[in-house]
Amino acid sequence: CMFTIAFSTATGGAAAPDTHSSPFYDYANDAVYVGDNGGFLHKFIGAFYGTPTEVVSTTGANIWPARVDSGFPLTSPVLVDGAGGFGAGASGIFVGDDTGVLYRVDSTKGSGTNGIVSTVKLGNSGIDDGPIVDSTTGNVYVFIRGDLGSGVNERAIVIQFSVNFALNSAGNRTGNTTAS
């Protein structure tokens, strides 16, 4: 069977479409995460073993859909079970945006208190693809189409972060880069 569920508009306004984000399935919790073009990360529960339902909570400690960015498309999210969230053992969701910022979203809190940690702007061109997470080493890799250089000095780069990166982290840049 197949379900079509419209994104919640509980946060006000019309639901944004999704043109950049593929869904990520959390096997342990039968949940699905997907971003939209308006900067919200949506969480659906009961994906295969229940009735698929979007989690909607606009007040309190856990806020869903999570406002990750203000009006910019999100990449495909990637969940790391038991790492990357705010508390010890909390799961984290990694997602990039069209402005060149990487985010870590607590899978329980969403955009509630301490639910989102963001990097600095990593490039002039946005992040197109979902991050790659190596759970063995605890690293997250993000691919930037154009770093902070300009003109002929703008380069494509790969940036490495720990799954527990700090707020405003710039990560470790690798590849053919210029000083920026």
Side-chain angles (χ1 to χ4, degrees), residues 101-102 116-122 161 165-171:
V101 177
L102 176 66
I116 298 178
V117 175
S118 61
T119 65
V120 296
K121 181 177 177 174
L122 302 170
F161 295 89
F165 63 82
L167 180 66
N168 295 324
S169 175

Side-chain angles (χ1 to χ4, degrees), residues 38-116:
F40 285 93
L41 182 65
H42 300 264
K43 179 179 183 176
F44 297 87
I45 57 173
F48 291 107
Y49 300 105
T51 303
T53 308
E54 183 170 5
V55 175
V56 177
S57 174
T58 58
T59 61
N62 307 326
I63 298 178
W64 291 96
R67 180 182 280 284
V68 175
D69 194 337
S70 184
F72 292 96
L74 299 179
T75 67
S76 299
V78 177
L79 176 116
V80 176
D81 196 22
F86 180 69
S91 297
I93 305 158
F94 299 90
V95 64
D97 74 7
D98 209 31
T99 67
V101 177
L102 176 66
Y103 299 89
R104 183 180 72 233
V105 181
D106 187 287
S107 66
T108 301
K109 295 178 180 225
S111 55
T113 304
N114 296 318
I116 298 178

Side-chain angles (χ1 to χ4, degrees), residues 2-5 7 17-27 30-37 40-45 47-48 52 74-79 93-95 128-131:
M2 185 169 106
F3 283 92
T4 300
I5 303 173
F7 289 147
D18 165 26
T19 58
H20 286 73
S21 181
S22 296
F24 186 92
Y25 181 62
D26 173 5
Y27 291 91
D30 193 32
V32 172
Y33 299 93
V34 64
D36 71 21
N37 289 1
F40 285 93
L41 182 65
H42 300 264
K43 179 179 183 176
F44 297 87
I45 57 173
F48 291 107
L74 299 179
T75 67
S76 299
V78 177
L79 176 116
I93 305 158
F94 299 90
V95 64
D128 295 326
D129 299 317

